[in-house]
Amino acid sequence: MQIIESKIDDIIKKVNQFKVIPNFTVEYRERTKRKPPKTLSEADLLKIFVRLIAFSQQAQSALVKKIIKEKIFDKIFENYSVDKVAKMNPCDIAEKYWEKITAIRQRTKLFQIVMFARLLKKNKTVLSLLTNPPIPKSIKSHKDIELFWIGFKELQTKLKEAKAPFLRETTTLLHFLLESGYDCIKPDSAVMKTSLKIGIVEKTSGDKNYVNTVKFIQEYCLKKNIRPAIVDLYMIIDGAQTEAALLVQKQFYK
C-alpha cells in the first residue's frame, strides 16, 4: 500500500510542476468547495443527469464541455423542465439538434434523458433518494468509508428497483456523488488507466475494480488529509483525459 501511495504522491508532485495557471487553480478550487446540496429541485436533478450522461461512455470531455458552455442543452431541454422533457420525442430531438451535440456520441442518450424525466414525474422517491442518499456527507474516519459503501449499495439497489436509467450504474452513480460534493471519485477510463499503472488494480474494467480504486483513494485521502475530488483531478490529468490534459503543460506527457 505504501508503494502505491508513494506513486500517487509522485503524480501529484509532477502535475504541480507542470500545471497551467490559472486554469488548474480554478478547477482545484471548484472541487475543494463542493458540498452535498441541502435540497435539489427536479430541474436541478435533470440538469445534473443530462451532464453526467453527456460525459459518459468515453465522450471527449473537452467537446462536451464546449456544448455545456454554449448552453445548447439548456435550450434543447427547455431549461430542464421535467414536465416538458417528459413529453419530448427522442427521435425529434435527434433530428433537430444532433449536428450540434454529436460529441455525446450516442443518440440513445437522448432516449435515456427523456425516460429519466418521465421517471421523476412518476416516482417522486427518486428525487428524495438522490437529494438525501444514505451516505456520509463527508469522510472523516475509516468508519465513514465503511458507511459510504453500505449506503452506496443501498442507494444503487433502490435506483435499480425504481428502474432509474443510467444512474444505477456504478461509474455513473459515483460520478453523480462526486459532482454533488460527496467524498469519492469517478472511476472513468482515465482514472482506471492510472489505477492500473500504479498497481491498485490488475484490470481497468469491472465493478469490483472500480470500487477497489475508489476505496483505495478514499483511504489515501483520509491519511493525507486531502479530498478525493482533488485526487480525482490529479488522476484524470495523469490519465490524459482530453479536458484535464489542458490543465498541464504539454511537456507533462513527454
Side-chain angles (χ1 to χ4, degrees), residues 108-231:
T108 52
K109 291 180 178 182
L110 300 173
F111 171 79
Q112 289 171 317
I113 289 166
V114 172
M115 293 306 294
F116 187 66
R118 291 176 183 175
L119 177 66
L120 288 177
K121 274 185 65 69
K122 183 175 71 174
N123 189 342
K124 300 298 181 183
T125 60
V126 173
L127 178 62
S128 61
L129 262 177
L130 293 168
T131 302
N132 294 297
I135 286 172
K137 300 291 185 186
S138 62
I139 289 177
K140 296 179 180 177
S141 67
H142 294 291
K143 183 66 176 177
D144 287 336
I145 295 175
E146 184 183 333
L147 291 173
F148 178 96
W149 290 103
I150 292 171
F152 182 87
K153 190 171 183 180
E154 180 185 336
L155 175 61
Q156 191 173 37
T157 298
K158 288 181 178 178
L159 289 171
K160 285 178 180 178
E161 288 171 354
K163 297 182 179 178
F166 218 69
L167 268 178
R168 60 193 178 191
E169 303 299 330
T170 298
T171 303
T172 309
L173 184 52
L174 283 163
H175 190 190
F176 169 80
L177 293 170
L178 168 66
E179 292 293 327
S180 299
Y182 290 88
D183 283 334
C184 64
I185 66 172
K186 177 197 175 189
D188 63 6
S189 57
V191 164
M192 294 308 295
K193 179 181 173 183
T194 296
S195 180
L196 176 67
K197 182 180 79 172
I198 63 179
I200 298 175
V201 294
E202 295 181 354
K203 277 181 65 179
T204 58
S205 60
D207 279 3
K208 183 180 177 181
N209 294 310
Y210 300 150
V211 171
N212 285 343
T213 296
V214 180
K215 277 185 180 178
F216 190 97
I217 297 304
Q218 287 173 325
E219 294 282 358
Y220 172 87
C221 290
L222 185 62
K223 188 174 181 179
K224 301 284 184 173
N225 194 27
I226 184 173
R227 294 198 69 190
I230 299 302
V231 177

Side-chain angles (χ1 to χ4, degrees), residues 18-121:
F18 290 95
K19 62 187 177 185
V20 174
I21 303 296
N23 307 44
F24 178 89
T25 308
V26 170
E27 180 66 21
Y28 187 101
R29 286 175 179 168
E30 188 278 324
R31 286 170 175 258
T32 303
K33 291 177 181 176
R34 287 181 193 169
K35 290 182 180 179
K38 292 181 180 178
T39 59
L40 274 177
S41 67
E42 288 184 341
D44 291 333
L45 186 52
L46 182 58
K47 183 177 183 178
I48 293 169
F49 183 84
V50 168
R51 294 188 177 195
L52 294 184
I53 204 167
F55 279 113
S56 70
Q57 296 172 318
Q58 298 185 336
Q60 284 200 27
S61 54
L63 297 178
V64 174
K65 196 76 177 255
K66 187 172 182 289
I67 295 171
I68 291 171
K69 192 174 181 180
E70 292 173 355
K71 298 188 176 182
I72 295 171
F73 291 137
D74 298 28
K75 180 181 178 182
I76 294 173
F77 300 112
E78 302 273 2
N79 287 318
Y80 310 100
S81 165
V82 169
D83 288 337
K84 291 178 180 178
V85 176
K87 294 174 184 176
M88 290 181 180
N89 183 323
C91 296
D92 292 340
I93 299 171
E95 187 176 337
K96 188 173 181 180
Y97 293 106
W98 188 248
E99 287 186 8
K100 293 183 178 180
I101 59 171
T102 51
I104 71 171
R105 297 189 68 204
Q106 297 188 27
R107 294 173 190 245
T108 52
K109 291 180 178 182
L110 300 173
F111 171 79
Q112 289 171 317
I113 289 166
V114 172
M115 293 306 294
F116 187 66
R118 291 176 183 175
L119 177 66
L120 288 177
K121 274 185 65 69

Side-chain angles (χ1 to χ4, degrees), residues 5-22:
E5 287 176 355
S6 295
K7 290 180 180 179
I8 298 172
D9 292 340
D10 290 341
I11 289 170
I12 292 172
K13 287 175 186 175
K14 187 181 177 185
V15 169
N16 287 339
Q17 287 174 353
F18 290 95
K19 62 187 177 185
V20 174
I21 303 296

